Amino acid sequence: MSSYGRCYTKEVNGSSLPDKKPTVVFVLGGPGSGKGTQCANIVQHFGYTHLSAGDLLRAEQNSGSENGEMIKNMIKDGQIVPSEVTVKLLLRAMEESGNDKFLIDGFPRNEENRAAFESVTGIEPEFVLFFDCPEEEMEKRVLNRNQGRADDNIESIRKRFKVYTQSSLPVIEYYDSKGKVRKIDASKPVEEVFEAVKEFFTSLDDKVAA
Ligand SMILES: Nc1ncnc2c1ncn2[C@@H]1O[C@H](COP(=O)(O)OP(=O)(O)OP(=O)(O)O)[C@@H](O)[C@H]1O
Ligand SMILES: O=c1ccn([C@@H]2O[C@H](COP(=O)(O)O)[C@@H](O)[C@H]2O)c(=O)[nH]1
Ligand SMILES: [Mg+2]
């Protein structure tokens, strides 16, 4: 198992493991709210490693993995891939990065994801960056994205919005009840959104330095 698994602690895993838990920020919001766009900016300014769970699943799908067909069908349908698969991909990417600061984009997407990540890693997010955006604006952005994604069509998008409302928003509400949500108005232009995003990461850097 990955050294970023719960086997993280010395007594389970021995001395070759990281002695400090990594910093994790979950980046959540609906399809097309701008998570990937803003994560690229955060990486440049604050030195995080960006892990998009969707990108990891797409790479796994294209790798010839035995889960490839299942992932392909679930993405097309906007369904949430079982945690067992996604958490394993995230842990491997965390370990391979050599970094200790991660933006986990588009995960956890439901309560099962949330509980699995926490129980496997023992990691709680530092905070949850929540990109709040009206559905109409998100739909427009996704339909204009032009990146050849199999789920950027009106049929898949409608399914993704439904899953987001039913399964992902409750995860954001859970973290909100713990005071961990940092909400951003994601309907604004990219530069303005980033100004708001920056404040949260600057505060965290200041807290760590203090
Ligand atoms: N603030 C913004 N204003 C206008 N367009 C934006 C903004 N942020 C991102 N976009 C554009 O909207 C599209 C979706 O952005 P992005 O891929 O970052 O969203 P996402 O939240 O990662 O979506 P998904 O969940 O589907 O992966 C892209 O074409 C991007 O260039
Ligand atoms: O944790 C996750 C993340 C993503 N998925 C599936 O991938 C698509 C696309 O995700 P994006 O974040 O928009 O790139 C999503 O609709 C799910 O089908 C997942 O199952 N679990
Ligand atoms: Mg994205």
Side-chain angles (χ1 to χ4, degrees):
M1 189 196 259
S2 156
S3 59
Y4 277 118
R6 187 168 284 270
C7 29
Y8 202 123
T9 52
K10 277 198 166 103
E11 78 238 50
V12 185
N13 267 325
S15 56
S16 63
L17 298 172
D19 49 8
K20 178 176 158 279
K21 279 194 186 184
T23 301
V24 165
V25 172
F26 288 145
V27 182
L28 301 178
S33 58
K35 302 180 294 295
T37 303
Q38 296 298 330
C39 282
N41 288 335
I42 301 164
V43 165
Q44 287 202 330
H45 284 74
F46 296 96
Y48 282 71
T49 292
H50 173 209
L51 301 177
S52 155
D55 286 350
L56 290 171
L57 287 166
R58 282 182 282 273
E60 180 71 359
Q61 176 201 312
N62 294 328
S63 73
S65 142
E66 56 179 0
N67 291 320
E69 201 56 27
M70 179 267 288
I71 294 171
K72 182 178 170 192
N73 292 332
M74 293 196 88
I75 288 182
K76 184 97 200 293
D77 231 16
Q79 297 302 308
I80 300 168
V81 172
S83 304
E84 192 189 326
V85 174
T86 316
V87 171
K88 202 161 93 189
L89 294 173
L90 285 168
L91 289 177
R92 190 168 69 197
M94 286 168 81
E95 191 171 75
E96 285 173 0
S97 74
N99 200 350
D100 64 355
K101 291 161 62 170
F102 301 97
L103 300 169
I104 300 192
D105 159 2
F107 178 97
R109 260 179 148 84
N110 61 11
E111 173 56 23
E112 191 224 356
N113 282 176
R114 188 200 66 72
F117 184 84
E118 200 177 306
S119 92
V120 171
T121 66
I123 297 170
E124 281 240 12
E126 194 64 36
F127 60 82
V128 174
L129 195 59
F130 168 39
F131 290 106
D132 188 29
C133 196
E135 207 168 284
E136 201 183 25
E137 172 67 15
M138 295 194 284
E139 184 177 303
K140 201 171 69 189
R141 290 181 190 175
V142 169
L143 288 177
N144 287 327
R145 180 155 48 185
N146 279 329
Q147 285 176 0
R149 277 179 53 162
D151 56 350
D152 279 355
N153 57 77
I154 195 65
E155 202 188 328
S156 298
I157 289 164
R158 294 271 149 85
K159 290 178 181 168
R160 288 157 70 196
F161 283 148
K162 198 163 170 201
V163 169
Y164 171 67
T165 305
Q166 287 178 344
S167 304
S168 309
L169 274 177
V171 175
I172 295 164
E173 281 157 13
Y174 167 84
Y175 284 119
D176 198 26
S177 75
K178 300 186 96 188
K180 292 209 169 216
V181 170
R182 309 289 180 265
K183 183 168 153 178
I184 304 271
D185 178 356
S187 66
K188 296 193 169 149
V190 173
E191 299 72 23
E192 275 181 52
V193 175
F194 188 55
E195 283 308 307
V197 165
K198 257 200 310 209
E199 288 187 22
F200 293 125
F201 285 91
T202 304
S203 297
L204 178 56
D205 278 357
D206 290 348
K207 190 178 114 187
V208 171

